[in-house]
Every structure is written in structure tokens, then in C-alpha cells.
Amino acid sequence: MGNADDPVADDSHRDHDCEAAGTLAFVAHYGAPGTGQAWTCTRCGKAWSRVDGVFWPADQGVHILSIDDVQ
């Protein structure tokens, strides 16, 4: 297993729905005001982005702008 104090190390928390479990905790705003927010799951440690009111796994990069987004 892992350290009981480290939510990421505990494999029993790997198979859950972060959004449905209500375990997402706000971390910070990023970008221009209202652009996006960083969140993390307090149960498994997975990073999430909230863009336009929709949560996306941060590793999908939805929160990263391209040149086309700003022209």
C-alpha cells in the first residue's frame, strides 16, 4: 500500500470518479479573470482544470491556449 497520510500513495483511492465523489478542491485561478481554475482531487491527487464551467483532467491540456485561441 502506501502512506496513509498521502492520498496519492493509497491505491484504494485510484478507482473513483473525482467529480461524482465531491472531492475536488480549488487550488488557484489562472489566465485572464474568468478564464480557468486549477483544482485537485483530495482523494487521489489528480489535477483538474475548470474551463468555461466544465471540469477536464489537467493532463488533457484543455486549459492551455494555442496561438489560434488568442488571435
Side-chain angles (χ1 to χ4, degrees):
M1 275 296 162
N3 181 347
D5 296 330
D6 182 0
V8 178
D10 188 349
D11 289 336
S12 68
H13 295 140
R14 297 272 181 215
D15 296 325
H16 76 278
D17 183 345
C18 299
E19 293 178 272
T23 58
L24 294 180
F26 176 77
V27 176
H29 290 277
Y30 53 81
T35 301
Q37 300 173 337
W39 292 71
T40 190
C41 180
T42 59
R43 190 165 179 196
C44 70
K46 184 175 183 175
W48 290 82
S49 295
R50 185 174 182 203
V51 179
D52 291 330
V54 178
F55 284 99
W56 299 89
D59 60 2
Q60 289 186 4
V62 174
H63 61 291
I64 300 171
L65 295 176
S66 70
I67 295 296
D68 294 333
D69 293 328
V70 293
Q71 287 185 349

